[in-house]
Amino acid sequence: MTDTVDDVEKPEQPDKPERSPGAKFLLVLLTGFLLAIPLFASWLLIYDRQSQSEQAEQSIVTGWGGKQVFAGPKIILPYKAKVQESVEQDGKTVTRTNVVNRELFISPEIMTFDSDIQTEVKSRSIYEVVIYNTNVTGSASFKLPEDFNRSGIDPADIDFTRAEIRFGLSDARGLSAENKLTVNGENLVLQPGKGLGETGNTGFFSWLDATALAEGEIAVKFDVKFRGTESLTMVPDAGQTNWSVSSKWPHPSFTGGFLPDNEVTETGFTAQYGISNLALGSSLTSTQAGQQVYPQETSRSFDSYGGGNNAANASSVTVNLIQPVDLYDQVSRATKYGFLFIGFTFVAFLLFDLIGGVRISSVQYILVGVALILFFILLLAFAEIIGFAWAYIVASAATIGLITAYAASVLSSWRRASIIGGLLAALYGVIYILLSLEAYSLLIGSLLIFAALAGVMFVTRRLDWSRSLQKGPATQG
């Protein structure tokens, strides 16, 4: 007896519906936000490399002289002052008068000096720093103000024979051995130390018999040579300060409380400062040392100021010898556009997913996003070697090639992949323009995002964001 076994067809399991377009959009959006973590890590890497660069620059110029602050000359007159103090004695309050030694700081009525800054670029490995030699040659005239009796100091209490004339220089290591100082035609011997408060009490001085100051004026001439790095700051403190500075360095930046009349060309620059003590708001005589002044720098991406922020800095002037391109600043700014790279590329893949019918997994989105972030690492690495412009070309070409080749496999079409590649090429080109035109970057970036949003809204205007992209099999009647 033969048993007949009928083949029984097993019902096919219906395919699981794909996520709705809205769900896919939210998933891609979440993936983009997660990529903010490695994007932020790349920004931290830029900060770390910039810090290493600054440390390397400091090691290059060790022993040469740092960012210099120059102040003076000032004449210091020792005098005796009577100070009253109250003490308890035998249960009674007794007032005593003590005589103490103090210093009176005299600033010149007119100070005129010139500086010629001779620059050189010193390098070590991939790091470079601008160093310079300069001289400060000038003259100053001193005399007691006509209303000196209002100061409350009796000229009889001043010891003019033990006066000093002081200069301040923030980093005395840069001083040359060939410095000259003459007072009323007499050469004086310079001594180390005893600088001015404006330079942290570092500098040099000379003993001076200032008896002539009691009845007339003192004429001072000086020629000071020193070395420094990247910037030179002057502290004007005269009735009228005139400073002329020139250099063959074609990229100066003028900062501080006062701006000069200047001319900058491809072969160098000249600048003239004219500052009065009326603008400074300071007297020509003082019993207090000046506040310390720090070099003022042009803004950078992570560190925009080089020293303490106080009123003294507002009364100083600085000439910065800047590099024409700060690559770390440019790479940092490029990184801030990272979300544009990720967003535009993800939108293009999402449109192929939703409208073109090509399935793209979350892992593939992540791999594309990592490739986009790797662009900034490549940009930083190459920029330190070959400069920002060439580094941008090399890093963008490598990234575009990698993503285009990967897209050809994911989208199963070189034609579709070429659209992705063209979009990336246009995007990298626009971002480079944004980095070059800093003043219009906000306007161009806003118009770019607006145009992209309008394009996406137009393409997806008929898309039902809530429906499933794939239905189950139809039921046979």
Side-chain angles (χ1 to χ4, degrees):
M1 183 174 174
T2 304
D3 294 333
T4 303
V5 180
D6 297 332
D7 293 335
V8 179
E9 289 187 4
K10 295 183 180 179
E12 293 183 1
Q13 297 294 329
D15 293 337
K16 184 178 180 181
E18 288 190 8
R19 297 182 182 92
S20 67
K24 284 196 171 187
F25 174 78
L26 292 177
L27 186 60
V28 171
L29 190 64
L30 177 61
T31 304
F33 278 118
L34 289 177
L35 288 172
I37 298 174
L39 185 63
F40 180 72
S42 65
W43 188 86
L44 290 180
L45 177 62
I46 298 170
Y47 174 79
D48 179 67
R49 294 296 296 180
Q50 184 183 30
S51 299
Q52 290 185 29
S53 172
E54 293 173 352
Q55 293 175 4
E57 290 175 2
Q58 292 299 320
S59 66
I60 292 174
V61 299
T62 298
W64 177 267
K67 298 175 181 179
Q68 295 287 17
V69 178
F70 182 85
K74 287 185 181 182
I75 291 179
I76 286 76
L77 301 174
Y79 71 98
K80 295 185 181 299
K82 296 178 180 179
V83 178
Q84 292 183 341
E85 63 175 351
S86 298
V87 296
E88 293 288 337
Q89 184 175 349
D90 298 331
K92 296 180 180 181
T93 301
V94 179
T95 301
R96 293 179 177 177
T97 301
N98 298 324
V99 178
V100 296
N101 293 320
R102 289 184 175 175
E103 292 181 336
L104 178 63
F105 296 82
I106 307 294
S107 299
E109 281 199 326
I110 300 177
M111 181 167 63
T112 302
F113 54 101
D114 303 320
S115 298
D116 179 27
I117 303 177
Q118 301 174 0
T119 59
E120 178 186 350
V121 177
K122 198 171 183 180
S123 61
R124 179 183 299 169
S125 183
I126 63 174
Y127 303 106
E128 294 182 344
V129 61
V130 181
I131 61 176
Y132 63 84
N133 284 278
T134 189
N135 66 309
V136 179
T137 304
S139 61
S141 61
F142 293 84
K143 74 175 184 177
L144 294 179
E146 295 180 358
D147 59 348
F148 182 73
N149 58 341
R150 293 177 178 269
S151 65
I153 300 175
D154 188 349
D157 294 330
I158 300 176
D159 189 352
F160 288 94
T161 61
R162 297 181 59 249
E164 298 173 2
I165 183 167
R166 297 180 187 174
F167 293 80
L169 189 66
S170 58
D171 193 345
R173 295 176 302 173
L175 274 171
S176 169
E178 301 176 358
N179 298 303
K180 299 178 182 179
L181 173 64
T182 62
V183 175
N184 289 340
E186 180 185 354
N187 292 325
L188 299 184
V189 178
L190 296 175
Q191 307 289 339
K194 281 193 177 182
L196 295 172
E198 290 86 344
T199 58
N201 296 316
T202 62
F204 53 96
F205 77 103
S206 179
W207 303 109
L208 173 67
D209 184 352
T211 304
L213 194 63
E215 299 296 337
E217 69 177 46
I218 290 179
V220 176
K221 292 184 178 180
F222 54 90
D223 185 5
V224 180
K225 297 180 175 64
F226 56 88
R227 304 175 302 188
T229 303
E230 292 185 336
S231 71
L232 173 59
T233 298
M234 290 290 179
V235 185
D237 196 15
Q240 178 65 35
T241 301
N242 301 309
W243 179 34
S244 297
V245 57
S246 62
S247 175
K248 293 183 179 180
W249 187 257
H251 308 291
S253 173
F254 306 102
T255 58
F258 303 90
L259 294 179
D261 296 325
N262 64 85
E263 181 181 358
V264 181
T265 65
E266 295 181 355
T267 58
F269 71 90
T270 58
Q272 291 81 36
Y273 289 90
I275 305 169
S276 71
N277 71 319
L278 295 178
L280 293 170
S282 61
S283 172
L284 298 185
T285 61
S286 175
T287 57
Q288 301 292 328
Q291 289 183 294
Q292 186 170 359
V293 173
Y294 298 89
Q296 301 182 56
E297 301 177 355
T298 53
S299 60
R300 301 182 72 176
S301 56
F302 302 107
D303 182 14
S304 60
Y305 195 70
N309 185 12
N310 52 38
N313 282 81
S315 300
S316 63
V317 293
T318 299
V319 176
N320 293 289
L321 307 172
I322 63 175
Q323 295 279 17
V325 177
D326 185 345
L327 67 90
Y328 295 105
D329 180 41
Q330 289 190 305
V331 175
S332 176
R333 289 180 56 217
T335 307
K336 295 174 183 177
Y337 292 105
F339 279 112
L340 281 181
F341 289 103
I342 296 172
F344 276 67
T345 308
F346 277 16
V347 165
F349 276 97
L350 183 62
L351 291 178
F352 280 119
D353 191 342
L354 298 180
I355 299 175
V358 180
R359 294 186 180 183
I360 303 176
S361 70
S362 301
V363 175
Q364 290 168 327
Y365 279 107
I366 292 175
L367 291 176
V368 171
V370 170
L372 290 170
I373 293 174
L374 186 59
F375 160 77
F376 302 107
I377 309 300
L378 292 173
L379 177 61
L380 174 62
F382 281 108
E384 291 183 333
I385 306 298
I386 60 176
F388 181 80
W390 282 107
Y392 195 93
I393 294 173
V394 172
S396 59
T399 305
I400 293 171
L402 176 63
I403 294 179
T404 301
Y406 186 64
S409 176
V410 172
L411 303 178
S412 302
S413 170
W414 275 102
R415 184 177 64 84
R416 293 172 175 175
S418 65
I419 295 176
I420 298 292
L423 171 68
L424 286 173
L427 184 60
Y428 280 112
V430 170
I431 296 300
Y432 187 82
I433 295 175
L434 288 179
L435 295 174
S436 303
L437 303 176
E438 184 175 358
Y440 300 98
S441 60
L442 178 60
L443 175 62
I444 298 175
S446 301
L447 293 176
L448 179 65
I449 295 174
F450 180 85
L453 178 61
V456 172
M457 292 174 68
F458 177 80
V459 172
T460 61
R461 67 191 185 281
R462 301 184 186 279
L463 186 64
D464 185 356
W465 291 94
S466 60
R467 71 174 177 84
S468 175
L469 290 179
Q470 178 180 339
K471 298 180 180 179
T475 306
Q476 295 180 353

